[in-house]
Amino acid sequence: MFGLFEHIRTRLLRRRRRERVSLAALFRQFQQVLELNNRILTAIASMHDKLGGDYIFDVQYLRTSKQFIVDTVRELIDAFDAMAPGRYPGLYAIFRDIRHKLESEMERRPVLPDVMAMSFADIRLQDMDAAGAKSTRLALIAEASAGAVPSGFAVTTSAYRLFMELNDIEDEIVRLEKAWRDGAMTVQEASGKIRSRILAGSIPPRVRRAMARELETLRRGAGEGILRLAVRSSAWGEDGDLSFAGQYESFLNVRPEDLHDAYRKVLASTYCPAAMEYRREYDFKPDEVFMAVSVQAMVEARTSGVVYSLSPVRLGESGIEIAAAWGLGAPVVSGEVPADHFLVSREPGHGLLMETVAHKATVLRPGPEGSVVTEEVEASLCDKPSLSPGQIRLLADTAIRLEQYFKKPQDVEFAFAPDGALIVLQSRPLRMEVCDDPHSPDLSDVLKGYPVLLSGEGDVAQQGVASGPVFVAWEGRDLEEFPVGAILVAHLSSPQYAAVLPKASGVITDIGSPLGHMATIAREYRVPALLNVSRATLVLKEGDVVTLDAEQKTVYQGLVRELRMHDYLCDHMEETYEYRLLRRMLKLIEPLYLVDPEENNFTPQGCRTMHDIARFIHEKAVEILTEIPTSSGAAEACPGGRLELPVPLDLVVLDIGGGLDESCAGDGDKPGHRRTIRTDQVRSETLRAFISGVTSEGVWQSQPVPVDFSSFMSSMTRTFSADSAGVSRMGQNLAVVSDRYLHLSLKLGYHFTLIDCYKSEDDSRNSVQFRFAGGVTGAVRRSRRARFLAEVLNGFDFSVTVKDDLVVARAKGWMARDLGRLMRILGLLVAYTRQLDVSMVSDSVIYEHCQEFEHIAEEAVGN
Amino acid sequence: MTGTSKTSILILDDEPIVSKRLQPALEKKGYEVESFYESARAMARIRERTFDIVVTDLKMEGIDGMQFLAEVKKLSPRTEVIVITGFATMDTAKESMRKGVFDFLAKPFKLGEIQEVIRKAEEHIRLGE
């Protein structure tokens, strides 16, 4: 009876709400949308913080965090649906899909991208799950111009899974692996049975077609030459290639018609005894094994071999070790044949420290019918070094560059083509064994011998050890000067430093938060980052070499080799199941793909993450509010009115709770009556700050700039979409305001400005977003104003993206702690940029305006 | 204190992330560390030698962390035990303390936090000598 009554009551309420939602109810729902949105963003940032290594967490934490985000996003969708009943039903379907994928990850059924093959040219860092580590690293090397790599493609982890499903092998593997782990079967027996099943399998048609397409591309690239392939494993695993040379098989000089057989053989090698033992040690779950296969066009090698960017044999010395021989490199890698050995200094110039030339009687070469053959070396070359001094220096340079890029000593396989070109065949983290030398001094005792410059203070955004010269990023310094491998030292952890992080070996700041934007970038590139140290810029001197141990919050004077060595040698949390799981779940939660409401993908169906859903809802909820003042259906008088200002802004203020004095509340006696609001009746701190900025004396461009004829004509040909920049109605300047929230949508001249700002209770979760688009002049001048805005906003610690004349800037957390200041800046900027595009007649004018604005801001705000 | 001058620590947690994160950091600070993922092996080890400090999870397959904790204190009353768990409740904390646990940490915790607790346990041992 109670249930039925509740059901009837709910139905009645829903009907009433659909007919006309009262403004008070609508405002309450909007406030709830804001609160839930902020809760979601905070939870996402907190999860991402765990990637930095400062926390020890477990699967239970991941389960709890995931559930909190899922539940809160569900509440958000419900709150939004209450504002606009039934308007976006697709949101629920998308939410269920993402939630299902998250649950799959939790239940050890990883979500893999649904693609069968990927050309190296198309692979990016986020494709690691699909393409595997080996192919992805080659693609990254090519993209970063860190070395030349062969052309090729990856047959993906999804292809592997499809292969296993089609051939019904998965259950058999689980059964056999369990029998082995329980001791009922030897690893050789289990491995043999599994591999037999794989080798007998059929390749799914979809995989076959994808392979054929990529092969055709390689054939066209080969031109007149005969195409031969190297087929190698490309193990799945976030950032660690948890294999060593020879563990998974490679097949060389494979004919295209033999690719399917080679593919099966590489898949089968996933279950060789050594690989199975290794996965057990590193706690890979049985369902966490996916093999991608790397298919590369064979390089005709005159010489090839291996480079260790840091010699693992001579632990105390600083050397690069090279092993090389004539022909193909496989025998050098496996140690089957005598090879030349060179020990080279790691210092620039790379002097030769030691050389051992072997008697190289045989050479491995491609055979005419596929596979490889062993041939005799001609007598004059047997005892000649297989590398020239120039080649040695080139190899050393490349190895160091790859080590810097991947932030870890590298094990590099290379080949020199007959024309002398150096080709990187593979680059992976160098696995170094712990040297249990009873005579080596204890690390903690060794560390006591180094002067400590900073200790005990700060927050770890990304753990790790970093060495390099100090680069102090004082205000206004040109970041283009930043040297590769330097340690960035800055007062604030500002988003403007994101661009140099890939080049930095470490980051230290006086002020900053592990939840901020720069910290996120540091974790992405795994750059050791210690923020909030308070005195770094005072203590650390430009150019001095220092060593940062972010984990222990310590900065040492000089290069502490023992500490770096220890960091290289010890296990890293990136190689744990829990870390990998967190990373995979965050891919479904954190990335923001919905950036621009003008883009076609700004729909429920365009949402790919929980963050996207929150973003979509926030945007549309604001849109609903901005429709109110011009809606003829509003039965209640809007609480608010037109703001009285000394500049012709014509701003209507809509109070959704606590933004204005009580005297401005809705007056039922006069429906539709337009009121005037005085600035002293504005209670919202952020709106008051904005007004203060926009009305600053002498800033509002009241002097009309002559519009030259060509600019005027280009404006006549432009059409304004009603939804341009998200403003739903032309000519309406509107502020939606509460005690904590402010949304401004402004149309001034021919451009649109949107500002969203949220002030949290203790200022620690503040956020601001600024968007700007449009203008009266041609595209070139509009883009110049966009660049002006980007330059200015970057200087005030916003994170800025620019696309043509659209500028999107964000500040959050610590960077937004002084909202009043930021809102005054934005007010000044709105006033200053009115018709600014007309005067943007050349690029040099951009920087003149930047300097002028900085001067104005300094006077008005005190910078 | 054992024969060497280093403080010895045993870490037991069935999720490897704890030891992989903790062991290198503690070794860097001069501790001698042994890690275990399985309680049976850890149990065998504490019968072979004494550790100054034991860091253990409470909820693991095969054996209740409380049993392990009780066994440690029985074999070596002066060993300090630090409990870590992802299922933190007030009751669990109280029971741990009643059984003689030095301190209690709920996951997720910062590396600095557990290092501080270990330092205090070490100091407590030194004062007890």
Side-chain angles (χ1 to χ4, degrees):
Chain A
M1 174 52 67
F2 176 82
L4 177 60
F5 177 82
E6 187 64 30
H7 176 68
I8 294 172
R9 195 179 76 90
T10 302
R11 288 289 300 274
L12 289 173
L13 284 179
R14 185 172 297 138
R15 178 177 300 114
R16 181 175 307 148
R17 188 161 58 218
R18 183 167 291 116
E19 286 166 1
R20 183 176 289 111
V21 181
S22 75
L23 284 185
L26 190 67
F27 293 165
R28 274 198 306 276
Q29 286 150 7
F30 181 73
Q31 294 269 34
Q32 194 188 1
V33 164
L34 290 181
E35 176 54 35
L36 290 166
N37 184 73
N38 280 285
R39 218 183 284 168
I40 290 160
L41 297 184
T42 301
I44 291 175
S46 182
M47 274 188 99
H48 197 278
D49 191 20
K50 304 302 184 290
L51 291 176
D54 198 26
Y55 284 90
I56 291 170
F57 58 90
D58 60 354
V59 171
Q60 175 62 18
Y61 164 77
L62 298 181
R63 188 175 292 113
T64 305
S65 299
K66 181 267 292 177
Q67 199 57 50
F68 178 84
I69 288 176
V70 165
D71 291 346
T72 312
V73 171
R74 174 60 197 248
E75 277 183 74
L76 178 65
I77 298 173
D78 289 343
F80 177 61
D81 191 59
M83 289 185 71
R87 193 185 293 196
Y88 299 103
L91 279 176
Y92 284 103
I94 292 297
F95 167 77
R96 281 193 296 271
D97 182 58
I98 297 173
R99 181 182 63 187
H100 177 72
K101 287 174 176 172
L102 282 168
E103 281 160 1
S104 292
E105 292 287 0
M106 253 354 278
E107 293 160 15
R108 300 178 185 169
R109 288 182 279 106
V111 176
L112 298 172
D114 187 25
V115 57
M116 298 294 117
M118 298 181 75
S119 166
F120 285 171
D122 295 329
I123 294 173
R124 296 288 176 267
L125 180 58
Q126 65 265 22
D127 298 313
M128 182 83 73
D129 280 350
K134 192 170 298 177
S135 299
T136 303
R137 275 208 205 87
L138 287 177
L140 294 176
I141 291 167
E143 194 191 1
S145 302
V149 305
S151 47
F153 60 93
V155 187
T156 65
T157 48
S158 285
Y160 167 86
R161 187 146 71 169
L162 198 57
F163 176 94
M164 301 301 259
E165 282 169 6
L166 179 74
N167 295 285
D168 202 22
I169 301 172
E170 284 173 323
D171 288 343
E172 181 80 352
I173 289 175
V174 171
R175 188 179 67 77
L176 289 166
E177 275 213 344
K178 186 175 189 302
W180 160 54
R181 291 188 186 215
D182 292 344
M185 188 178 287
T186 67
V187 68
Q188 283 76 20
E189 284 175 308
S191 167
K193 289 176 186 293
I194 293 171
R195 281 181 290 148
S196 295
R197 287 293 306 270
I198 293 173
L199 291 170
S202 305
I203 295 180
R206 193 176 160 201
V207 178
R208 243 188 275 129
R209 285 194 297 271
M211 283 179 173
R213 276 197 304 271
E214 296 295 338
L215 274 177
E216 188 51 38
T217 303
L218 284 188
R219 271 198 195 89
R220 272 185 258 110
E224 295 302 314
I226 296 174
L227 178 64
R228 289 285 187 266
L229 307 166
V231 184
R232 307 165 178 264
S233 65
S234 182
W236 183 81
E238 194 62 38
D239 277 292
D241 189 341
L242 295 171
S243 66
F244 51 82
Q247 187 181 40
Y248 297 146
E249 289 187 75
S250 293
F251 296 89
L252 303 180
N253 204 44
V254 175
R255 294 178 301 185
E257 56 264 39
D258 298 325
L259 176 56
H260 291 178
D261 280 339
Y263 177 73
R264 274 186 287 259
K265 287 172 180 170
V266 174
L267 292 193
S269 75
T270 310
Y271 292 93
C272 70
M276 289 171 68
E277 297 275 14
Y278 210 75
R279 284 197 296 273
R280 181 165 72 168
E281 179 187 338
Y282 279 91
D283 196 32
F284 275 89
K285 315 303 183 188
D287 291 330
E288 205 188 359
V289 178
F290 296 97
M291 177 62 80
V293 173
S294 185
V295 181
Q296 304 167 11
M298 279 284 291
V299 175
E300 193 185 335
R302 174 174 163 77
T303 306
S304 49
V306 183
V307 187
Y308 294 152
S309 66
L310 180 61
S311 172
V313 178
R314 290 160 252 264
L315 223 53
E317 293 178 39
S318 174
I320 296 165
E321 189 160 337
I322 303 172
W326 304 116
L328 298 177
V332 180
V333 177
S334 60
E336 289 167 16
V337 298
D340 299 334
H341 286 267
F342 310 89
L343 186 64
V344 183
S345 169
R346 281 169 57 90
E347 309 307 315
H350 303 302
L352 186 62
L353 302 177
M354 193 187 305
E355 180 183 27
T356 307
V357 180
H359 180 71
K360 306 173 286 294
T362 60
V363 65
L364 198 70
R365 295 214 190 276
E369 295 301 323
S371 189
V372 293
V373 296
T374 301
E375 295 174 356
E376 288 186 1
V377 174
E378 56 184 275
S380 63
L381 294 178
C382 284
D383 297 301
K384 185 187 175 187
S386 51
L387 296 172
S388 70
Q391 286 174 323
I392 292 170
R393 274 194 300 277
L394 178 57
L395 275 172
D397 272 339
T398 301
I400 292 295
R401 189 161 59 249
L402 292 173
E403 180 184 289
Q404 281 174 342
Y405 183 77
F406 289 115
K407 298 205 163 31
K408 209 171 180 184
Q410 295 291 298
D411 172 345
V412 181
E413 289 180 32
F414 68 87
F416 279 99
D419 65 359
L422 169 60
I423 311 292
V424 175
L425 300 177
Q426 182 173 208
S427 185
R428 63 185 165 202
L430 181 58
R431 296 211 68 85
M432 305 168 72
E433 297 304 319
V434 178
C435 173
D436 271 334
D437 185 349
H439 300 295
S440 73
D442 191 55
L443 177 62
S444 59
D445 291 328
V446 169
L447 293 178
K448 292 189 179 90
Y450 287 92
V452 171
L453 300 173
L454 293 166
S455 178
E457 275 187 287
D459 297 310
V460 181
Q462 170 63 48
Q463 64 111 8
V465 172
S467 295
V470 168
F471 179 99
V472 182
W474 53 72
E475 194 68 31
R477 185 170 188 186
D478 186 1
L479 298 178
E480 295 293 326
E481 299 167 5
F482 191 89
V484 173
I487 290 186
L488 174 68
V489 176
H491 182 57
L492 291 172
S493 67
S494 166
Q496 66 180 304
Y497 302 129
V500 302
L501 285 193
K503 291 196 287 182
S505 64
V507 182
I508 308 169
T509 70
D510 294 340
I511 299 172
S513 164
L515 303 185
H517 181 70
M518 196 188 84
T520 301
I521 301 295
R523 284 191 286 271
E524 208 64 37
Y525 287 98
R526 202 113 46 245
V527 180
L530 184 64
L531 313 181
N532 218 19
V533 179
S534 80
R535 298 179 296 123
T537 52
L538 300 178
V539 172
L540 304 178
K541 302 306 177 200
E542 177 76 14
D544 286 357
V545 172
V546 299
T547 298
L548 163 67
D549 180 357
E551 175 193 272
Q552 298 299 331
K553 307 179 184 180
T554 306
V555 180
Y556 298 92
Q557 180 179 292
L559 171 60
V560 185
R561 281 195 176 83
E562 296 87 344
L563 193 55
R564 276 163 49 107
M565 194 63 60
H566 180 267
D567 190 53
Y568 292 149
L569 288 174
C570 63
D571 283 334
H572 289 116
M573 66 181 295
E574 290 85 2
E575 294 161 9
T576 63
Y577 171 73
E578 292 79 7
Y579 184 92
R580 295 190 296 266
L581 180 55
L582 171 58
R583 215 168 170 112
R584 294 199 304 269
M585 294 206 309
L586 276 173
K587 284 185 181 179
L588 294 162
I589 291 172
E590 190 228 358
L592 186 64
Y593 298 100
L594 297 195
V595 172
D596 187 354
E598 298 173 68
E599 291 282 347
N600 292 335
N601 72 335
F602 205 89
T603 64
Q605 290 68 36
C607 296
R608 294 159 63 179
T609 63
M610 293 298 187
H611 196 175
D612 279 341
I613 292 175
R615 167 86 180 100
F616 178 86
I617 287 173
H618 182 267
E619 182 73 26
K620 295 303 180 184
V622 170
E623 201 173 279
I624 288 167
L625 287 208
T626 59
E627 289 167 1
I628 291 172
T630 54
S631 169
S632 58
E636 302 168 45
C638 302
R642 188 175 164 278
L643 191 58
E644 210 172 69
L645 290 173
V647 297
L649 193 57
D650 194 22
L651 184 66
V652 171
V653 179
L654 176 62
D655 183 7
I656 63 172
L660 300 175
D661 277 355
E662 294 293 333
S663 56
C664 304
D667 189 344
D669 294 341
K670 303 171 185 175
H673 175 70
R674 171 168 274 213
R675 268 180 311 276
T676 298
I677 297 166
R678 304 186 309 274
T679 51
D680 63 324
Q681 290 175 300
V682 173
R683 203 196 300 170
S684 161
E685 292 174 32
T686 47
L687 179 54
R688 280 213 306 269
F690 178 82
I691 291 166
S692 166
V694 80
T695 61
S696 283
E697 185 161 352
V699 181
W700 185 270
Q701 292 244 351
S702 51
Q703 189 67 31
V705 181
V707 179
D708 58 286
F709 185 76
S710 63
S711 299
F712 184 73
M713 285 307 296
S714 70
S715 76
M716 294 294 287
T717 60
R718 291 199 77 199
T719 55
F720 289 104
S721 159
D723 289 325
S724 177
V727 180
S728 59
R729 301 235 175 224
M730 302 277 286
Q732 178 68 66
N733 290 345
L734 176 70
V736 177
V737 68
S738 77
D739 54 347
R740 273 220 265 275
Y741 175 72
L742 171 62
H743 170 81
L744 284 159
S745 64
L746 308 169
K747 176 182 178 294
L748 299 169
Y750 290 92
H751 61 261
F752 302 92
T753 302
L754 291 180
I755 298 170
D756 269 296
C757 118
Y758 178 83
K759 181 178 164 67
S760 70
E761 200 156 345
D762 61 355
D763 282 324
S764 67
R765 294 186 295 122
N766 292 348
S767 67
V768 186
Q769 180 178 260
F770 171 90
R771 247 181 304 159
F772 188 100
V776 69
T777 55
V780 172
R781 290 192 205 183
R782 292 199 308 272
S783 71
R784 283 188 188 128
R785 181 177 51 191
R787 282 156 59 196
F788 161 77
L789 286 165
E791 196 77 18
V792 167
L793 291 164
N794 249 309
F796 287 102
D797 296 322
F798 281 84
S799 167
V800 185
T801 59
V802 179
K803 198 189 88 177
D804 299 326
D805 59 352
L806 172 67
V807 178
V808 180
R810 291 185 181 82
K812 62 169 182 171
W814 180 263
M815 307 317 303
R817 71 201 175 281
D818 189 351
L819 266 189
R821 171 176 170 273
L822 290 189
M823 291 308 292
R824 273 196 298 278
I825 294 294
L826 292 182
L828 287 170
L829 208 49
V830 164
Y832 189 85
T833 53
R834 235 174 46 89
Q835 282 194 298
L836 187 67
D837 53 316
V838 177
S839 65
M840 290 289 190
V841 296
S842 70
D843 277 7
S844 63
V845 173
I846 296 174
Y847 300 100
E848 289 171 21
H849 277 296
C850 285
Q851 283 166 22
E852 185 180 346
F853 184 82
E854 278 178 26
H855 179 68
I856 289 168
E858 187 165 331
E859 287 195 0
V861 180
N863 206 321
Chain B
M1 197 70 69
T2 53
T4 70
S5 60
K6 288 189 186 183
T7 297
S8 61
I9 301 176
L10 178 144
I11 302 173
L12 170 62
D13 195 305
D14 62 350
E15 296 193 30
I17 188 172
V18 173
S19 348
K20 286 184 188 296
R21 189 74 195 87
L22 206 43
Q23 177 159 355
L26 294 176
E27 284 173 343
K28 191 191 294 180
K29 293 181 83 72
Y31 296 101
E32 178 197 347
V33 185
E34 295 188 26
S35 294
F36 295 88
Y37 305 147
E38 293 166 28
S39 51
R41 295 186 188 209
M43 188 74 79
R45 184 59 173 149
I46 62 171
R47 294 190 178 115
E48 290 170 358
R49 65 163 288 187
T50 300
F51 289 89
D52 297 308
I53 296 170
V54 165
V55 177
T56 179
D57 192 2
L58 280 188
K59 195 173 182 65
M60 289 174 288
E61 290 179 25
I63 188 171
D64 188 293
M66 289 294 184
Q67 293 176 250
F68 181 71
L69 153 57
E71 185 73 10
V72 169
K73 293 304 281 188
K74 191 176 87 176
L75 287 169
S76 175
R78 292 194 315 149
T79 296
E80 299 292 3
V81 177
I82 298 165
V83 160
I84 57 179
T85 183
F87 295 88
T89 64
M90 192 53 63
D91 291 342
T92 310
K94 283 177 180 173
E95 190 182 353
S96 304
M97 295 311 194
R98 202 178 309 119
K99 281 182 153 60
V101 161
F102 180 77
D103 209 338
F104 182 94
L105 281 166
K107 294 171 184 170
F109 49 82
K110 287 194 173 189
L111 183 72
E113 288 166 355
I114 190 167
Q115 286 181 139
E116 180 61 15
V117 169
I118 286 170
R119 191 190 64 75
K120 285 174 178 171
E122 187 182 23
E123 188 176 301
H124 191 256
I125 292 166
R126 189 177 305 112
L127 292 177
E129 283 176 343

